[in-house]
Amino acid sequence: MDTIITTIPKRNVIPKKLRVVAYARVSSGKDTMLHSLEAQRDYYSSYISKNSKWTFSGIYSDEAISGTKDDRKGFNSLLNDARNGGIDLIITKSVSRFARNVVTLLKTIRELTSLGVDIYFEEQNIHTLSSEGEFLLTVIALYAEMEAKSVSENMLWRIQKTFQEGKVYAMKILGYRLKDGHLVIKEDEAKIVRLIYKLYLEGYGKNKIADILNEQGYKTRQNNNFAPVSVLEILKNIIYTGDIVLQKTIRLSYLSKKKKLNVGERDRYYVEDAHEAIIDKATFNKVQQELVRRQLEHPQKDKVKHTFTMMIRCCNCGCHFIRKKRRDKYIWVCSTANGLGKSRCQIKGIREDILINLVQEVLGLNEFDEQIMRSLIQEIVINENNAVTFKLYGGEEIIKSWSYPSRKESWSKEMKEKARMRGIATYRRMTNG
């Protein structure tokens, strides 16, 4: 049988258009930088749309976030869309705009390369899918990280010089505003500070003073209601006498940007008469003596320190949460709501096991570690609608939502067995069996 061969004519195959996106970032929230970010968005939108071989698939951006940080909302959204197969090419201005941390940079490039996603850095004219791409990027990334370290060290030097000159670098405090490195009195807030000192020396306690301030409609520097703890902080703050201690906190690393108390690692500076006083020193000293007298007269019982002690704050009244036991579970509740009732604060409590799971999720921990948590998380704020804000050292804030597990999911084997035995006992009583 003869073999028959039929020629199938070739046809023109229309090449698939590349799905192209852009990533832009500015590391400052100042107006000039935000205008720059908007200009980058306009540029990339036009640049990508003009190329007939590309399909414009969006622009991802981050505002006022350092390139040394991994937790960037726009950046992470970009990576997720790439993982889901929606991107072929990413265009960005430079290596340093994409990431200044060499570990993050190379890890991201390798992952995107394995997904077949190319990154084009305009300033360096490099495509990561090219043969020389990763080698050149490694060198450039090391340079970018050194540059970030150099910028951080220069900033540290400027801050140190500011402290040595007796000037304030950055501060938010009730009663003052910062102007040209010096604190200037804001009179409408200063009168609140004077009232707090006056009431305390008249015999009022911090709880009653907070009540009076809130009844009169006064607010803290953060525009919150006054809590007893915020009243106490004002009564103890020497800044109101015109003196100030500078460099009380230090930054541990140019990468993490975490802060800690300065307990001797660097010089501290006590500056006398640095600014105009709101409270004269004689009055301040009287208050300090009265604080000591009242503490000796009414000593507090030693409190047991638990996992989240003094870490959790209420978004409504500003008070710390305390630990309570309900049935077989521990729950953290607002101290105002617990002591004075729901009429004073309506914020719901949160179960300790749920909070621990949220911490693990935020920090990427397989197992909960209190030491790691306290080194990374500065404060936990419980909000309305089952939302929790984790304030990290360095300024980042991560918001997580939570819900109680269903009863079926929350029951242990022991609880189920007890319920079964109760059911059997009830049945026997009803049937006289």
Side-chain angles (χ1 to χ4, degrees):
M1 183 176 179
D2 295 336
T3 301
I4 300 173
I5 300 175
T6 303
T7 302
I8 301 173
K10 70 176 181 178
R11 59 178 180 172
N12 294 326
V13 179
I14 300 173
K16 178 185 173 183
K17 287 188 175 183
L18 292 178
R19 295 161 298 179
V20 182
V21 302
Y23 175 73
R25 177 182 64 80
V26 293
S27 56
S28 168
K30 293 180 180 178
D31 288 343
T32 52
M33 289 293 101
L34 296 182
H35 288 318
S36 170
L37 185 59
E38 195 58 41
Q40 289 182 60
R41 290 182 182 134
D42 292 341
Y43 163 74
Y44 284 123
S45 176
S46 173
Y47 177 68
I48 295 172
S49 298
K50 285 179 181 178
N51 193 316
S52 60
K53 297 179 181 179
W54 293 349
T55 297
F56 175 64
S57 298
I59 296 173
Y60 301 81
S61 61
D62 287 302
E63 299 175 9
I65 297 177
S66 169
T68 59
K69 293 290 183 184
D70 292 345
D71 188 21
R72 290 178 273 162
K73 202 168 185 179
F75 185 75
N76 290 334
S77 179
L78 168 70
L79 295 184
N80 287 333
D81 289 347
R83 289 168 187 141
N84 292 329
I87 299 172
D88 297 310
L89 172 62
I90 300 167
I91 299 175
T92 189
K93 183 178 178 182
S94 67
V95 172
S96 61
R97 290 293 88 190
F98 198 67
R100 281 188 171 176
N101 184 324
V102 66
V103 175
T104 299
L105 178 67
L106 295 181
K107 179 183 172 184
T108 303
I109 289 173
R110 284 171 180 150
E111 181 184 359
L112 292 174
T113 298
S114 70
L115 296 170
V117 179
D118 189 15
I119 312 171
Y120 176 60
F121 299 97
E122 290 186 291
E123 281 189 3
Q124 289 79 25
N125 191 27
I126 294 175
H127 279 273
T128 55
L129 291 185
S130 65
S131 57
E132 73 279 5
E134 186 163 345
F135 171 74
L136 292 174
L137 282 168
T138 302
V139 176
I140 292 169
L142 286 168
Y143 173 77
E145 188 166 323
M146 289 172 62
E147 183 186 20
K149 184 177 182 180
S150 175
V151 168
S152 177
E153 288 174 346
N154 288 337
M155 178 67 73
L156 178 62
W157 178 84
R158 286 197 296 271
I159 293 171
Q160 190 77 23
K161 191 171 184 295
T162 300
F163 288 152
Q164 290 171 354
E165 293 172 352
K167 295 181 179 179
V168 181
Y169 178 71
M171 182 176 291
K172 284 187 177 180
I173 185 169
L174 185 75
Y176 288 106
R177 291 296 182 272
L178 190 60
K179 185 176 181 181
D180 299 328
H182 296 283
L183 294 173
V184 178
I185 289 179
K186 193 172 189 302
E187 190 53 46
D188 59 330
E189 293 180 359
K191 72 177 184 179
I192 304 173
V193 176
R194 295 188 190 104
L195 177 60
I196 290 171
Y197 277 76
K198 177 177 178 290
L199 290 172
Y200 192 78
L201 289 177
E202 288 176 357
Y204 291 95
K206 59 183 185 295
N207 293 294
K208 185 59 179 175
I209 293 173
D211 289 341
I212 293 171
L213 296 175
N214 293 329
E215 287 168 5
Q216 295 185 13
Y218 292 124
K219 297 292 182 181
T220 67
R221 179 72 168 83
Q222 290 74 33
N223 200 36
N224 296 323
N225 288 333
F226 276 90
V229 66
S230 52
V231 170
L232 190 60
E233 286 171 357
I234 289 171
L235 289 170
K236 289 183 174 182
N237 201 332
I238 200 168
I239 282 179
Y240 294 115
T241 68
D243 295 353
I244 190 170
V245 179
L246 299 174
Q247 197 158 256
K248 291 192 290 186
T249 61
I250 57 174
R251 185 165 286 174
L252 296 175
S253 160
Y254 78 97
L255 285 176
S256 69
K257 294 183 169 62
K258 291 185 296 183
K259 289 184 178 180
K260 68 177 287 291
L261 285 175
N262 178 10
V263 292
E265 293 92 337
R266 294 185 194 149
D267 292 336
R268 286 179 293 178
Y269 304 92
Y270 188 98
V271 186
E272 296 185 61
D273 300 323
H275 50 271
E276 189 178 352
I278 293 175
I279 302 297
D280 64 80
K281 291 180 181 177
T283 300
F284 181 81
N285 290 334
K286 283 182 186 177
V287 166
Q288 306 317 300
Q289 292 168 10
E290 181 64 12
L291 284 166
V292 173
R293 188 192 68 78
R294 293 189 195 183
Q295 188 174 16
L296 293 173
E297 190 175 302
H298 304 286
Q300 289 187 335
K301 294 179 181 179
D302 290 338
K303 295 182 178 179
V304 178
K305 182 179 176 295
H306 296 291
T307 305
F308 296 102
T309 298
M310 299 302 290
M311 284 198 71
I312 311 173
R313 194 183 290 276
C314 176
C315 74
N316 184 23
C317 66
C319 286
H320 284 106
F321 273 45
I322 58 175
R323 193 180 195 234
K324 306 286 287 185
K325 189 172 185 179
R326 293 182 182 170
R327 299 185 183 92
D328 61 336
K329 300 283 186 183
Y330 285 104
I331 186 169
W332 288 83
V333 298
C334 173
S335 55
T336 298
N338 181 70
L340 302 175
K342 289 291 184 182
S343 61
R344 295 295 300 273
C345 186
Q346 294 80 38
I347 295 298
K348 287 169 56 177
I350 181 170
R351 257 178 30 197
E352 186 171 89
D353 59 326
I354 292 175
L355 193 54
I356 285 173
N357 288 336
L358 290 177
V359 170
Q360 287 180 234
E361 186 179 336
V362 167
L363 300 181
L365 301 175
N366 293 324
E367 294 182 0
F368 180 77
D369 188 310
E370 182 179 349
Q371 188 174 357
I372 292 176
M373 176 191 71
R374 286 186 174 271
S375 68
L376 297 177
I377 297 177
Q378 184 175 24
E379 187 176 53
I380 300 170
V381 179
I382 307 299
N383 305 306
E384 296 175 346
N385 302 319
N386 290 7
V388 182
T389 300
F390 293 89
K391 296 185 176 183
L392 308 187
Y393 287 102
E396 300 91 341
E397 294 188 2
I398 301 173
I399 299 176
K400 291 287 182 181
S401 298
W402 62 274
S403 60
Y404 282 117
S406 67
R407 181 172 294 183
K408 182 179 179 181
E409 292 174 341
S410 62
W411 277 30
S412 64
K413 289 182 180 180
E414 292 78 9
M415 292 168 65
K416 291 176 182 176
E417 181 61 22
K418 285 181 182 179
R420 189 180 74 83
M421 296 304 293
R422 283 198 301 269
I424 292 172
T426 301
Y427 174 77
R428 285 176 176 170
R429 283 197 305 272
M430 293 175 66
T431 59
N432 296 318

